[in-house]
Amino acid sequence: MSELPVTDANGGIDSWQWFQNRLTHLGHASMNEFAKKHGFPKSSLSRYFHRERQLPSGKISAFCEALEVSPQELLQALGALDWRGPEDASY
């Protein structure tokens, strides 16, 4: 099971730290190793997880498989979905 995302000082998810934690959890020594194994450009990985570029919807499945996470967790880590559950909603 994957871990909860790391939050930054503003309470948001730190996508880069989450990505680094996943690589470590999966036994990858580096982003370069992960990129080679799964065929992802290193520069794109950096841009996606530093939130400089949005992950194209057509790549979500490949990323989920490579990172062994659900689409929801990946999108939450990338800031595309709010991590909080319904019990945290302010109505």
Side-chain angles (χ1 to χ4, degrees):
M1 177 152 246
S2 55
E3 57 276 343
L4 293 175
V6 176
T7 58
D8 63 20
N10 298 321
I13 297 168
D14 182 339
S15 300
W16 183 251
Q17 187 60 54
W18 178 89
F19 178 61
Q20 294 297 313
N21 290 348
R22 286 305 301 158
L23 295 184
T24 300
H25 177 77
L26 296 170
H28 294 287
S30 66
M31 180 179 68
N32 293 343
E33 177 189 302
F34 176 81
K36 283 182 182 179
K37 180 176 180 178
H38 296 285
F40 300 126
K42 292 181 294 184
S43 60
S44 293
L45 289 171
S46 179
R47 288 183 184 113
Y48 298 146
F49 290 98
H50 279 108
R51 297 186 185 185
E52 296 169 358
R53 181 185 295 166
Q54 290 183 349
L55 179 66
S57 60
K59 296 186 185 259
I60 292 172
S61 179
F63 271 79
C64 288
E65 186 174 322
L67 292 168
E68 298 181 13
V69 296
S70 69
Q72 181 180 1
E73 183 174 356
L74 176 63
L75 293 173
Q76 288 167 333
L78 290 170
L81 295 175
D82 188 10
W83 189 264
R84 295 174 295 163
E87 66 278 0
D88 297 323
S90 300
Y91 294 105

